[in-house]
Amino acid sequence: QAQLVESGGGLVQPGGSLNLSCAASGRTITRHTMAWFRQAPGKEREFVAGVRWNDGATYYTTSVKGRFTISRDRSDNTVNLRMNMNSLKPEDTAVYYCAATLDHLRMNQPRTYNYWGQGTQVTVSS
């Protein structure tokens, strides 16, 4: 079992920045690949960024490369996952979810994730 709790969402103007955080805890959480997903109204949940559990390699969807940065800290049975989001655009508006998976090869597929946070709303609007 694991628990994931996101924080840091909010309302920001286009071109602004936000920092999301996810506090993850559980006996095996440090062996999970972690990622951020987002879901906009009427759209499917999509992969945003991920960090592989063993070597810390990071991956991004094309639309956020160069603007978003994912990072993590691990200790004992906790992982602190963060995502710095810069140059935000209205199309970044969505509910953002933190998630964890043991399927390290299919990081971008939400169906492989077995742990999810409750989500945090990010709204980019003037």
Side-chain angles (χ1 to χ4, degrees):
Q1 291 291 336
Q3 290 186 327
L4 284 67
V5 180
E6 302 100 334
S7 61
L11 173 65
V12 64
Q13 292 186 342
S17 300
L18 277 177
N19 296 318
L20 302 184
S21 297
C22 172
S25 60
R27 188 174 56 84
T28 63
I29 195 64
T30 58
R31 296 197 292 273
H32 283 68
T33 285
M34 305 288 295
W36 290 98
F37 287 80
R38 65 186 179 187
Q39 188 166 19
K43 294 188 176 181
E44 293 186 352
R45 192 167 297 190
E46 67 167 344
F47 173 84
V48 178
V51 54
R52 200 159 54 198
W53 80 278
N54 53 343
D55 59 3
T58 57
Y59 301 87
Y60 299 89
T61 192
T62 300
S63 64
V64 308
K65 284 182 181 178
R67 300 189 298 122
F68 292 11
T69 303
I70 189 172
S71 62
R72 61 133 194 237
D73 293 318
R74 300 188 297 181
S75 64
D76 294 333
N77 297 327
T78 63
V79 175
N80 290 312
L81 186 71
R82 294 177 296 277
M83 187 161 67
N84 297 326
M85 304 187 296
N86 298 313
S87 302
L88 283 161
K89 305 175 181 180
E91 50 264 42
D92 294 318
T93 295
V95 177
Y96 283 71
Y97 297 90
C98 171
T101 181
L102 289 172
D103 189 335
H104 312 298
L105 298 180
R106 297 182 292 178
M107 182 188 298
N108 63 339
Q109 298 182 27
R111 60 187 173 87
T112 68
Y113 285 74
N114 48 334
Y115 297 116
W116 293 87
Q118 81 286 355
T120 185
Q121 177 70 46
V122 172
T123 302
V124 184
S125 175
S126 55

